[in-house]
């Protein structure tokens, strides 16, 4: 089991033995089993890796979820375990425990545009003729809005029934097309996923967003230009949420099938 002392003392970033190199990790399915905690083995391995190179995570979830999965097993702040922490793909970010500039969907879009979007969505859903409607049709998150024609309060059975219904009816597909027609000028991406909903976020706010922080930090006094950026992720196929950063020319992508795969590759690559 990694101890507090093992995870707290590291060479300064400029003095890491492997120069100008950072290793970034997806969380779910890469460092942890999906939605579960990190194992003692991988936490210890990360602390050993951090003695050699800069390390960071980049996850789509918010910081409390990453704290639960990565920090809570050791009873320490997750921001103390990594040199860089990129929550919500980097919209919330930390370097050495200190916050970096943040962003949000509303800040980017503007309050008036956001209100127009929500008004359009709610009118559209009100006029939909679908088997059931429940509640929470628009869920605001820091980096996106999640829109559900049936409502996120639907039961598991209702979710499954709507998913089956939607395969033929194309409710979400048609709604996305309507939104693209009305709000396409705002530079938004519409991503259908799961059983009952779709996400709306600014184009480019995938996991490559975190690379902006590294580029900006390199320009600051004492900042480091990371010329080698490794990225480990499990959803690296087209449509997966690791695909864009995995394929980005600025990174060296490593596709893994789970934490055990990550552990094996790290040991081989860095002699851990």
């Amino acid at each position: 089991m990694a101890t507090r002392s093992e995870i707290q003392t590291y060479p300064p970033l400029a003095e890491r033995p492997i120069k100008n190199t950072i290793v970034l990790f997806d969380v779910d399915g890469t460092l942890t089993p999906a939605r579960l905690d990190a194992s003692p083995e991988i936490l210890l391995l990360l602390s050993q890796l951090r003695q050699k190179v800069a390390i960071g995570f980049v996850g789509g979830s918010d910081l409390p979820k990453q704290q639960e999965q990565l920090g809570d097993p050791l009873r320490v702040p997750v921001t103390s375990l990594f040199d860089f922490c990129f929550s919500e793909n980097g919209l919330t970010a930390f370097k050495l425990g200190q916050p970096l500039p943040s962003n949000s969907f509303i800040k980017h879009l503007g309050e008036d545009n956001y209100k127009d979007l929500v008004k359009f969505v709610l009118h559209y859903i009100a006029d939909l003729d679908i088997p059931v409607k429940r509640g929470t049709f628009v869920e605001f998150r820091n980096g996106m809005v999640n829109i559900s024609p049936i409502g996120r309060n639907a039961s598991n059975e209702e979710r499954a029934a709507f998913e089956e219904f939607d395969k033929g009816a194309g409710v979400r597909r048609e709604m996305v097309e309507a939104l693209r027609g009305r709000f396409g000028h705002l530079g938004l991406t519409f991503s259908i996923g799961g059983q009952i909903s779709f996400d709306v976020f600014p184009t480019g706010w995938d996991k490559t967003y975190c690379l902006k922080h590294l580029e900006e930090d390199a320009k600051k006094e004492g900042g480091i230009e990371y010329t080698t950026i490794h990225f480990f992720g499990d959803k690296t196929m087209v449509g997966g949420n690791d695909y864009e950063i995995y394929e980005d020319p600025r990174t060296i992508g490593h596709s893994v099938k789970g934490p055990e795969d990550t552990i094996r590759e790290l040991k081989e690559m860095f002699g851990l």
Side-chain angles (χ1 to χ4, degrees):
M1 180 69 170
T3 66
R4 294 177 72 95
S5 62
E6 287 175 317
I7 61 173
Q8 287 184 330
T9 305
Y10 304 97
L13 289 172
E15 297 175 18
R16 302 285 164 93
I18 303 175
K19 302 295 184 184
N20 303 100
T21 297
I22 186 169
V23 185
L24 299 175
F25 300 92
D26 166 56
V27 179
D28 278 336
T30 301
L31 293 180
T32 76
R35 313 307 290 176
L36 299 177
D37 293 350
S39 69
E41 182 181 8
I42 202 162
L43 291 171
L44 178 58
L45 194 70
L46 288 172
S47 71
Q48 294 168 342
L49 178 64
R50 196 176 175 189
Q51 297 290 344
K52 296 189 173 189
V53 297
I55 67 170
F57 73 75
V58 50
S61 299
D62 59 17
L63 190 64
K65 184 58 182 173
Q66 289 138 2
Q67 172 63 39
E68 177 186 332
Q69 291 179 271
L70 299 168
D72 285 358
L74 293 176
R75 299 182 179 85
V76 298
V78 67
T79 52
S80 72
L81 299 177
F82 297 83
D83 301 300
F84 290 89
C85 298
F86 299 122
S87 299
E88 297 184 75
N89 296 347
L91 296 175
T92 299
F94 293 82
K95 176 189 177 184
L96 300 175
Q98 299 302 309
L100 295 173
S102 63
N103 208 340
S104 73
F105 185 83
I106 287 181
K107 187 189 297 185
H108 176 85
L109 203 62
E111 192 68 51
D112 287 342
N113 285 329
Y114 176 69
K115 287 191 295 186
D116 285 345
L117 175 68
V118 172
K119 187 189 303 183
F120 182 92
V121 165
L122 293 178
H123 276 291
Y124 188 101
I125 291 175
D127 291 336
L128 277 178
D129 183 14
I130 56 179
V132 297
K133 295 179 185 177
R134 293 300 177 250
T136 312
F137 301 105
V138 180
E139 181 177 87
F140 173 73
R141 302 171 185 173
N142 191 47
M144 68 175 70
V145 289
N146 179 266
I147 296 170
S148 174
I150 186 178
R152 298 194 62 82
N153 293 348
S155 68
N156 288 336
E157 293 77 12
E158 289 165 339
R159 286 167 176 254
F162 177 79
E163 181 181 27
E164 193 61 33
F165 170 79
D166 197 36
K167 288 177 182 177
V171 174
R172 287 181 293 173
R173 185 180 66 249
E174 290 182 8
M175 189 171 181
V176 162
E177 288 306 311
L179 284 165
R180 283 198 180 111
R182 174 65 176 78
F183 297 100
H185 63 289
L186 296 180
L188 298 174
T189 291
F190 302 87
S191 177
I192 297 174
Q195 293 178 298
I196 64 168
S197 65
F198 58 92
D199 294 328
V200 184
F201 54 89
T203 300
W205 282 25
D206 49 54
K207 288 186 177 176
T208 61
Y209 188 92
C210 76
L211 302 178
K212 297 179 184 179
H213 285 294
L214 298 180
E215 292 168 349
E216 288 300 314
D217 191 67
K219 299 173 186 176
K220 299 176 183 176
E221 185 176 353
I224 297 171
E225 181 182 359
Y226 289 106
T227 53
T228 301
I229 303 173
H230 293 278
F231 172 77
F232 284 75
D234 67 313
K235 297 292 191 299
T236 57
M237 72 296 292
V238 175
N241 62 8
D242 295 323
Y243 174 77
E244 287 82 6
I245 189 170
Y246 174 77
E247 290 288 341
D248 194 284
R250 293 169 289 182
T251 70
I252 301 168
H254 305 269
S255 186
V256 296
K257 296 180 175 64
E260 297 78 12
D261 213 8
T262 302
I263 289 170
R264 179 186 56 77
E265 284 208 34
L266 290 176
K267 287 181 176 179
E268 290 177 1
M269 286 176 58
F270 296 100
L272 300 172

